[in-house]
PDB file of all heavy atoms in Angstrom:
ATOM      1  N   SER A  24     -35.914   8.511 -65.444  1.00  0.00           N
ATOM      2  CA  SER A  24     -35.595   9.361 -66.595  1.00  0.00           C
ATOM      3  C   SER A  24     -36.796  10.211 -66.995  1.00  0.00           C
ATOM      4  O   SER A  24     -36.672  11.405 -67.283  1.00  0.00           O
ATOM      5  CB  SER A  24     -35.157   8.494 -67.783  1.00  0.00           C
ATOM      6  OG  SER A  24     -33.983   7.780 -67.452  1.00  0.00           O
ATOM      7  N   ALA A  26     -39.243  11.094 -65.082  1.00  0.00           N
ATOM      8  CA  ALA A  26     -39.482  12.102 -64.044  1.00  0.00           C
ATOM      9  C   ALA A  26     -38.528  13.278 -64.198  1.00  0.00           C
ATOM     10  O   ALA A  26     -38.908  14.445 -64.034  1.00  0.00           O
ATOM     11  CB  ALA A  26     -39.338  11.476 -62.660  1.00  0.00           C
ATOM     12  N   TRP A  45     -42.926  39.227 -65.627  1.00  0.00           N
ATOM     13  CA  TRP A  45     -41.975  40.044 -64.892  1.00  0.00           C
ATOM     14  C   TRP A  45     -42.327  41.525 -64.846  1.00  0.00           C
ATOM     15  O   TRP A  45     -42.236  42.139 -63.796  1.00  0.00           O
ATOM     16  CB  TRP A  45     -40.585  39.872 -65.475  1.00  0.00           C
ATOM     17  CG  TRP A  45     -39.558  40.624 -64.693  1.00  0.00           C
ATOM     18  CD1 TRP A  45     -38.953  40.246 -63.536  1.00  0.00           C
ATOM     19  CD2 TRP A  45     -39.041  41.924 -65.004  1.00  0.00           C
ATOM     20  NE1 TRP A  45     -38.088  41.225 -63.114  1.00  0.00           N
ATOM     21  CE2 TRP A  45     -38.120  42.257 -63.987  1.00  0.00           C
ATOM     22  CE3 TRP A  45     -39.278  42.825 -66.040  1.00  0.00           C
ATOM     23  CZ2 TRP A  45     -37.435  43.445 -63.988  1.00  0.00           C
ATOM     24  CZ3 TRP A  45     -38.587  44.019 -66.030  1.00  0.00           C
ATOM     25  CH2 TRP A  45     -37.689  44.314 -65.014  1.00  0.00           C
ATOM     26  N   TYR A  61     -52.564  57.055 -57.779  1.00  0.00           N
ATOM     27  CA  TYR A  61     -52.617  58.389 -58.379  1.00  0.00           C
ATOM     28  C   TYR A  61     -52.232  58.398 -59.858  1.00  0.00           C
ATOM     29  O   TYR A  61     -52.231  59.467 -60.485  1.00  0.00           O
ATOM     30  CB  TYR A  61     -51.683  59.338 -57.619  1.00  0.00           C
ATOM     31  CG  TYR A  61     -52.173  59.705 -56.246  1.00  0.00           C
ATOM     32  CD1 TYR A  61     -51.527  59.208 -55.106  1.00  0.00           C
ATOM     33  CD2 TYR A  61     -53.283  60.529 -56.068  1.00  0.00           C
ATOM     34  CE1 TYR A  61     -51.974  59.547 -53.837  1.00  0.00           C
ATOM     35  CE2 TYR A  61     -53.734  60.863 -54.804  1.00  0.00           C
ATOM     36  CZ  TYR A  61     -53.070  60.365 -53.690  1.00  0.00           C
ATOM     37  OH  TYR A  61     -53.520  60.694 -52.434  1.00  0.00           O
ATOM     38  N   THR A  66     -51.416  61.287 -64.817  1.00  0.00           N
ATOM     39  CA  THR A  66     -51.257  61.257 -66.273  1.00  0.00           C
ATOM     40  C   THR A  66     -52.167  62.279 -66.939  1.00  0.00           C
ATOM     41  O   THR A  66     -51.737  63.044 -67.818  1.00  0.00           O
ATOM     42  CB  THR A  66     -51.559  59.850 -66.805  1.00  0.00           C
ATOM     43  OG1 THR A  66     -50.665  58.906 -66.196  1.00  0.00           O
ATOM     44  CG2 THR A  66     -51.390  59.796 -68.312  1.00  0.00           C
ATOM     45  N   THR A  68     -53.546  64.973 -65.625  1.00  0.00           N
ATOM     46  CA  THR A  68     -53.152  66.332 -65.261  1.00  0.00           C
ATOM     47  C   THR A  68     -51.889  66.761 -66.002  1.00  0.00           C
ATOM     48  O   THR A  68     -51.816  67.876 -66.537  1.00  0.00           O
ATOM     49  CB  THR A  68     -52.917  66.423 -63.740  1.00  0.00           C
ATOM     50  OG1 THR A  68     -54.124  66.088 -63.060  1.00  0.00           O
ATOM     51  CG2 THR A  68     -52.489  67.820 -63.342  1.00  0.00           C
ATOM     52  N   TRP A  73     -48.587  69.683 -70.135  1.00  0.00           N
ATOM     53  CA  TRP A  73     -47.405  69.461 -70.957  1.00  0.00           C
ATOM     54  C   TRP A  73     -47.726  68.991 -72.375  1.00  0.00           C
ATOM     55  O   TRP A  73     -46.893  69.084 -73.263  1.00  0.00           O
ATOM     56  CB  TRP A  73     -46.503  68.404 -70.321  1.00  0.00           C
ATOM     57  CG  TRP A  73     -45.832  68.790 -69.051  1.00  0.00           C
ATOM     58  CD1 TRP A  73     -46.396  68.883 -67.812  1.00  0.00           C
ATOM     59  CD2 TRP A  73     -44.451  69.122 -68.878  1.00  0.00           C
ATOM     60  NE1 TRP A  73     -45.464  69.239 -66.871  1.00  0.00           N
ATOM     61  CE2 TRP A  73     -44.250  69.392 -67.500  1.00  0.00           C
ATOM     62  CE3 TRP A  73     -43.362  69.198 -69.738  1.00  0.00           C
ATOM     63  CZ2 TRP A  73     -43.008  69.749 -66.981  1.00  0.00           C
ATOM     64  CZ3 TRP A  73     -42.118  69.547 -69.228  1.00  0.00           C
ATOM     65  CH2 TRP A  73     -41.954  69.818 -67.863  1.00  0.00           C
ATOM     66  N   MET A  75     -49.372  65.574 -74.800  1.00  0.00           N
ATOM     67  CA  MET A  75     -49.436  64.112 -74.750  1.00  0.00           C
ATOM     68  C   MET A  75     -48.085  63.465 -74.449  1.00  0.00           C
ATOM     69  O   MET A  75     -48.030  62.319 -74.032  1.00  0.00           O
ATOM     70  CB  MET A  75     -49.978  63.570 -76.076  1.00  0.00           C
ATOM     71  CG  MET A  75     -51.427  63.933 -76.332  1.00  0.00           C
ATOM     72  SD  MET A  75     -52.527  63.397 -74.979  1.00  0.00           S
ATOM     73  CE  MET A  75     -52.402  61.614 -75.135  1.00  0.00           C
ATOM     74  N   ALA A  83     -43.901  61.548 -61.500  1.00  0.00           N
ATOM     75  CA  ALA A  83     -44.222  60.513 -60.509  1.00  0.00           C
ATOM     76  C   ALA A  83     -43.041  60.263 -59.583  1.00  0.00           C
ATOM     77  O   ALA A  83     -43.208  60.100 -58.365  1.00  0.00           O
ATOM     78  CB  ALA A  83     -44.618  59.220 -61.222  1.00  0.00           C
ATOM     79  N   ALA A  84     -41.845  60.224 -60.149  1.00  0.00           N
ATOM     80  CA  ALA A  84     -40.642  60.025 -59.333  1.00  0.00           C
ATOM     81  C   ALA A  84     -40.462  61.174 -58.346  1.00  0.00           C
ATOM     82  O   ALA A  84     -40.076  60.963 -57.184  1.00  0.00           O
ATOM     83  CB  ALA A  84     -39.420  59.921 -60.246  1.00  0.00           C
ATOM     84  N   GLN A  85     -40.755  62.377 -58.785  1.00  0.00           N
ATOM     85  CA  GLN A  85     -40.613  63.540 -57.907  1.00  0.00           C
ATOM     86  C   GLN A  85     -41.591  63.474 -56.740  1.00  0.00           C
ATOM     87  O   GLN A  85     -41.240  63.810 -55.603  1.00  0.00           O
ATOM     88  CB  GLN A  85     -40.845  64.813 -58.710  1.00  0.00           C
ATOM     89  CG  GLN A  85     -40.555  66.090 -57.942  1.00  0.00           C
ATOM     90  CD  GLN A  85     -40.705  67.306 -58.822  1.00  0.00           C
ATOM     91  OE1 GLN A  85     -41.564  67.363 -59.697  1.00  0.00           O
ATOM     92  NE2 GLN A  85     -39.843  68.285 -58.607  1.00  0.00           N
ATOM     93  N   SER A  98     -43.438  68.947 -44.093  1.00  0.00           N
ATOM     94  CA  SER A  98     -42.011  68.834 -43.803  1.00  0.00           C
ATOM     95  C   SER A  98     -41.627  69.757 -42.660  1.00  0.00           C
ATOM     96  O   SER A  98     -42.388  70.644 -42.266  1.00  0.00           O
ATOM     97  CB  SER A  98     -41.185  69.181 -45.045  1.00  0.00           C
ATOM     98  OG  SER A  98     -41.164  70.588 -45.239  1.00  0.00           O
ATOM     99  N   VAL A 100     -39.657  72.141 -42.735  1.00  0.00           N
ATOM    100  CA  VAL A 100     -39.527  73.538 -43.160  1.00  0.00           C
ATOM    101  C   VAL A 100     -40.873  74.144 -43.542  1.00  0.00           C
ATOM    102  O   VAL A 100     -40.936  75.321 -43.897  1.00  0.00           O
ATOM    103  CB  VAL A 100     -38.545  73.682 -44.339  1.00  0.00           C
ATOM    104  CG1 VAL A 100     -37.145  73.283 -43.914  1.00  0.00           C
ATOM    105  CG2 VAL A 100     -39.001  72.859 -45.534  1.00  0.00           C
ATOM    106  N   ALA A 117     -51.213  80.336 -57.297  1.00  0.00           N
ATOM    107  CA  ALA A 117     -52.635  80.662 -57.274  1.00  0.00           C
ATOM    108  C   ALA A 117     -52.900  82.024 -57.904  1.00  0.00           C
ATOM    109  O   ALA A 117     -53.938  82.234 -58.555  1.00  0.00           O
ATOM    110  CB  ALA A 117     -53.158  80.617 -55.839  1.00  0.00           C
ATOM    111  N   PRO A 125     -58.650  78.886 -54.812  1.00  0.00           N
ATOM    112  CA  PRO A 125     -57.729  79.159 -53.702  1.00  0.00           C
ATOM    113  C   PRO A 125     -56.731  78.016 -53.513  1.00  0.00           C
ATOM    114  O   PRO A 125     -56.899  76.931 -54.055  1.00  0.00           O
ATOM    115  CB  PRO A 125     -58.674  79.269 -52.509  1.00  0.00           C
ATOM    116  CG  PRO A 125     -59.798  78.344 -52.852  1.00  0.00           C
ATOM    117  CD  PRO A 125     -59.988  78.492 -54.335  1.00  0.00           C
ATOM    118  N   ASP A 130     -55.102  68.950 -50.963  1.00  0.00           N
ATOM    119  CA  ASP A 130     -55.992  68.325 -51.946  1.00  0.00           C
ATOM    120  C   ASP A 130     -55.104  67.705 -53.024  1.00  0.00           C
ATOM    121  O   ASP A 130     -54.389  68.414 -53.738  1.00  0.00           O
ATOM    122  CB  ASP A 130     -56.911  69.377 -52.558  1.00  0.00           C
ATOM    123  CG  ASP A 130     -57.854  68.799 -53.601  1.00  0.00           C
ATOM    124  OD1 ASP A 130     -57.613  67.669 -54.083  1.00  0.00           O
ATOM    125  OD2 ASP A 130     -58.837  69.485 -53.966  1.00  0.00           O
ATOM    126  N   GLN A 138     -47.943  70.975 -59.172  1.00  0.00           N
ATOM    127  CA  GLN A 138     -46.633  70.411 -59.501  1.00  0.00           C
ATOM    128  C   GLN A 138     -46.371  70.478 -61.002  1.00  0.00           C
ATOM    129  O   GLN A 138     -45.297  70.892 -61.443  1.00  0.00           O
ATOM    130  CB  GLN A 138     -46.542  68.962 -59.028  1.00  0.00           C
ATOM    131  CG  GLN A 138     -45.209  68.302 -59.364  1.00  0.00           C
ATOM    132  CD  GLN A 138     -45.317  66.793 -59.566  1.00  0.00           C
ATOM    133  OE1 GLN A 138     -46.422  66.274 -59.828  1.00  0.00           O
ATOM    134  NE2 GLN A 138     -44.214  66.093 -59.460  1.00  0.00           N
ATOM    135  N   ALA A 153     -28.456  71.886 -73.154  1.00  0.00           N
ATOM    136  CA  ALA A 153     -27.862  70.948 -74.112  1.00  0.00           C
ATOM    137  C   ALA A 153     -28.861  69.904 -74.597  1.00  0.00           C
ATOM    138  O   ALA A 153     -28.711  69.359 -75.695  1.00  0.00           O
ATOM    139  CB  ALA A 153     -26.649  70.266 -73.494  1.00  0.00           C
ATOM    140  N   GLN A 168     -34.380  73.901 -54.697  1.00  0.00           N
ATOM    141  CA  GLN A 168     -33.569  74.940 -54.057  1.00  0.00           C
ATOM    142  C   GLN A 168     -33.990  76.360 -54.423  1.00  0.00           C
ATOM    143  O   GLN A 168     -33.502  77.328 -53.833  1.00  0.00           O
ATOM    144  CB  GLN A 168     -32.103  74.757 -54.409  1.00  0.00           C
ATOM    145  CG  GLN A 168     -31.775  74.989 -55.886  1.00  0.00           C
ATOM    146  CD  GLN A 168     -30.323  74.720 -56.209  1.00  0.00           C
ATOM    147  OE1 GLN A 168     -29.507  74.421 -55.336  1.00  0.00           O
ATOM    148  NE2 GLN A 168     -29.958  74.823 -57.484  1.00  0.00           N
ATOM    149  N   PRO A 170     -35.105  78.900 -58.071  1.00  0.00           N
ATOM    150  CA  PRO A 170     -34.431  79.257 -59.335  1.00  0.00           C
ATOM    151  C   PRO A 170     -33.176  80.108 -59.139  1.00  0.00           C
ATOM    152  O   PRO A 170     -32.241  80.025 -59.938  1.00  0.00           O
ATOM    153  CB  PRO A 170     -35.510  80.038 -60.094  1.00  0.00           C
ATOM    154  CG  PRO A 170     -36.801  79.605 -59.495  1.00  0.00           C
ATOM    155  CD  PRO A 170     -36.507  79.327 -58.052  1.00  0.00           C
ATOM    156  N   HIS A 206     -28.273  68.203 -54.786  1.00  0.00           N
ATOM    157  CA  HIS A 206     -27.571  67.324 -55.723  1.00  0.00           C
ATOM    158  C   HIS A 206     -28.153  65.911 -55.683  1.00  0.00           C
ATOM    159  O   HIS A 206     -28.459  65.310 -56.731  1.00  0.00           O
ATOM    160  CB  HIS A 206     -26.082  67.308 -55.369  1.00  0.00           C
ATOM    161  CG  HIS A 206     -25.241  66.580 -56.361  1.00  0.00           C
ATOM    162  ND1 HIS A 206     -24.297  65.654 -56.006  1.00  0.00           N
ATOM    163  CD2 HIS A 206     -25.207  66.627 -57.720  1.00  0.00           C
ATOM    164  CE1 HIS A 206     -23.711  65.161 -57.081  1.00  0.00           C
ATOM    165  NE2 HIS A 206     -24.246  65.741 -58.137  1.00  0.00           N
ATOM    166  N   ILE A 212     -34.182  61.443 -58.307  1.00  0.00           N
ATOM    167  CA  ILE A 212     -35.417  61.527 -59.088  1.00  0.00           C
ATOM    168  C   ILE A 212     -35.194  61.072 -60.526  1.00  0.00           C
ATOM    169  O   ILE A 212     -35.940  60.228 -61.042  1.00  0.00           O
ATOM    170  CB  ILE A 212     -35.971  62.964 -59.053  1.00  0.00           C
ATOM    171  CG1 ILE A 212     -36.531  63.281 -57.661  1.00  0.00           C
ATOM    172  CG2 ILE A 212     -37.064  63.155 -60.111  1.00  0.00           C
ATOM    173  CD1 ILE A 212     -36.933  64.720 -57.466  1.00  0.00           C
ATOM    174  N   LEU A 214     -32.321  59.713 -62.128  1.00  0.00           N
ATOM    175  CA  LEU A 214     -31.482  58.562 -62.477  1.00  0.00           C
ATOM    176  C   LEU A 214     -31.842  57.289 -61.720  1.00  0.00           C
ATOM    177  O   LEU A 214     -31.535  56.196 -62.191  1.00  0.00           O
ATOM    178  CB  LEU A 214     -30.007  58.899 -62.243  1.00  0.00           C
ATOM    179  CG  LEU A 214     -29.475  60.121 -63.000  1.00  0.00           C
ATOM    180  CD1 LEU A 214     -27.971  60.255 -62.793  1.00  0.00           C
ATOM    181  CD2 LEU A 214     -29.813  60.051 -64.477  1.00  0.00           C
ATOM    182  N   ALA A 223     -42.564  50.639 -65.280  1.00  0.00           N
ATOM    183  CA  ALA A 223     -43.873  50.246 -64.759  1.00  0.00           C
ATOM    184  C   ALA A 223     -45.013  50.724 -65.637  1.00  0.00           C
ATOM    185  O   ALA A 223     -46.181  50.440 -65.336  1.00  0.00           O
ATOM    186  CB  ALA A 223     -44.056  50.792 -63.349  1.00  0.00           C
TER     187      ALA A 223
END
Side-chain angles (χ1 to χ4, degrees):
S24 298
W45 184 81
Y61 289 109
T66 301
T68 300
W73 292 75
M75 293 304 293
Q85 187 176 36
S98 76
V100 296
D130 179 344
Q138 179 209 20
Q168 67 183 356
H206 187 227
I212 289 172
L214 303 186

